[in-house]
Amino acid sequence: MSLYEQIADLPVTIESVARRRQTADTTSGFERTTTEYRLSGDGVVGRGEDVTYETADHDALAGTDPIDVEGEWTIDALSDRLDEVDLFHGNPPENETSRNYRRWAVESAALDLALRQREESLGGFLGVEPEPVRFVVSTRLGDPPSTDRVEGLLARNPELEFKLDPTPEWPEAAFETLRETDAVRILDLKGWYEGTDVDVEPDPELYRDVFAAFPAAVVEDPAFTPATGALVEPQADRLSFDYPIDGVESLESLPVEPGWCNVKPSRFGTLESLFETIAYCEREGIELYGGGQFELASGRTAIQTIAALCYPDGPNDVAPRAYNDPDAEPPYPKSPLRPSRDAVGFEF
């Protein structure tokens, strides 16, 4: 049985639905807002985090009633019910991808609740032993670009690994310094983003520099344009995709067969799509690692738990929140993260 088939008939009792807003500053220089959905039943609470980036979409929840999903369900039946529910209460999101983010919040909260009602962890229910999770630290070099933060973190922990976002503004010295650290595992070119604050225009010179400076690193989300295609296509074995991936069909429609996939659970919307995609990648020999969305609450432990069960040895972008918190003080947690033996639900 597939992982989804194993959880599809898991019963869950929902007696009430509540929401809790989360807000915090980040090391990337913006204020993050998320909404945690809290489903209650049988004296316990299941939680799932809506990682929609646009604060206005969280603001729009004010004054709206929680969704009507009280009752006795299976995970699969509740998912079918959510097909009929407008989680944005008549206010379309600023970005259509947010529909998946909010759907993930509710479905992951339901699975968390179902497992807590059984007093089991996800791994325990599936019969899979969670393993320590290797993680990388995702950070930007700032404006103007500087390697100071990377060097500062390595001075405290020489074993840290990194996921970085190259831009055309990176000076040659930054490439040289970062290459010498031998600590960069993923470079995210963000070539598929459109209309966001993190868009990076496809630049053949940047792509050429990245591929040459980091010959063993995973390169994520390169764009395929007339100017970059000839550079990108020969690198397929070490290419990874994140932004466009929300299910098996999106992987099959890529211009190349990639060697890697960044699994951000919230992008998939449903538990079924998430677990189907993980199974597809395993069948096709596509290496996996987990990705994060600046989660502030239960969403972070959920992505760590899935990584521990499905791809613990990947360069997982699921670092503890201290690495995103500008007010956090060292010492910071070290990789790998070790799961708790007392965890229940989606706890890590």
Side-chain angles (χ1 to χ4, degrees):
M1 294 177 67
S2 70
L3 292 180
Y4 184 71
E5 288 172 334
Q6 291 180 65
I7 65 170
D9 293 329
L10 187 61
V12 59
T13 300
I14 303 174
E15 297 171 356
S16 65
V17 181
R19 300 182 298 247
R20 182 172 296 178
R21 184 177 173 121
Q22 309 282 338
T23 303
D25 291 330
T26 70
T27 53
S28 292
F30 72 99
E31 184 180 74
R32 183 66 163 119
T33 297
T34 67
T35 296
E36 188 174 70
Y37 279 74
R38 302 168 68 86
L39 310 184
S40 300
D42 292 346
V44 292
V45 178
R47 300 179 299 159
E49 190 170 3
D50 171 14
V51 296
T52 293
Y53 279 92
E54 291 76 18
T55 301
D57 289 332
H58 298 283
D59 293 340
L61 287 171
T64 63
D65 293 326
I67 55 176
D68 181 14
V69 291
E70 289 85 356
E72 304 281 343
W73 305 93
T74 64
I75 293 298
D76 193 55
L78 178 62
S79 185
D80 287 343
R81 166 66 178 139
L82 290 174
D83 287 339
E84 306 168 358
V85 176
D86 178 10
L87 298 177
F88 285 82
H89 306 275
N91 299 301
E94 293 192 12
N95 191 318
E96 280 299 304
T97 58
S98 298
R99 293 193 184 276
N100 276 1
Y101 296 163
R102 191 160 292 175
R103 177 71 173 264
W104 165 255
V106 179
E107 291 212 10
S108 60
L111 179 57
D112 187 38
L113 177 61
L115 292 165
R116 289 177 185 277
Q117 289 172 342
R118 295 173 60 94
E119 299 183 348
E120 282 192 86
S121 67
L122 179 58
F125 180 76
L126 295 173
V128 178
E129 185 72 22
E131 297 183 23
V133 174
R134 170 192 175 197
F135 70 82
V136 299
V137 176
S138 180
T139 189
R140 299 173 189 169
L141 298 195
D143 184 19
S146 167
T147 59
D148 288 353
R149 184 163 192 256
V150 172
E151 293 180 272
L153 289 170
L154 284 172
R156 293 184 177 277
N157 179 4
E159 296 181 357
L160 273 181
E161 301 174 291
F162 292 87
K163 176 179 182 286
L164 304 177
D165 301 347
T167 69
E169 290 72 38
W170 275 22
E172 184 177 345
F175 281 95
E176 293 175 355
T177 297
L178 293 170
R179 182 175 61 246
E180 289 172 1
T181 68
D182 193 30
V184 180
R185 300 293 172 257
I186 306 171
L187 296 122
D188 185 357
L189 292 171
K190 297 193 179 298
W192 289 67
Y193 286 76
E194 294 182 2
T196 75
D197 293 336
V198 297
D199 292 9
V200 178
E201 191 72 21
D203 182 331
E205 184 174 346
L206 172 65
Y207 284 27
R208 190 176 294 109
D209 288 344
V210 166
F211 287 130
F214 306 99
V218 174
V219 178
E220 189 173 293
D221 279 357
F224 291 78
T225 71
T228 64
L231 295 169
V232 173
E233 291 177 9
Q235 304 286 338
D237 286 349
R238 64 173 174 134
L239 297 185
S240 177
F241 293 88
D242 157 27
Y243 184 81
I245 305 305
D246 57 11
V248 171
E249 185 176 345
S250 60
L251 266 172
E252 292 178 328
S253 66
L254 290 171
V256 296
E257 296 181 7
W260 294 81
C261 179
N262 180 351
V263 178
K264 288 185 177 176
S266 54
R267 289 211 190 279
F268 296 86
T270 67
L271 291 160
E272 183 175 19
S273 181
L274 168 67
F275 287 126
E276 281 185 348
T277 305
I278 291 173
Y280 172 85
C281 289
E282 290 173 345
R283 289 195 305 271
E284 297 298 317
I286 299 173
E287 299 286 344
L288 298 172
Y289 59 94
Q293 303 259 51
F294 291 93
E295 291 86 357
L296 303 180
S298 55
R300 193 171 297 252
T301 56
I303 64 175
Q304 292 169 344
T305 294
I306 294 169
L309 297 174
C310 298
Y311 31 82
D313 298 324
N316 293 293
D317 181 16
V318 300
R321 189 175 162 224
Y323 288 99
N324 301 131
D325 182 355
D327 296 323
E329 297 287 343
Y332 302 118
K334 293 185 177 182
S335 179
L337 298 172
R338 301 194 177 277
S340 169
R341 295 190 176 277
D342 299 323
V344 293
F346 250 141
E347 286 180 356
F348 179 72

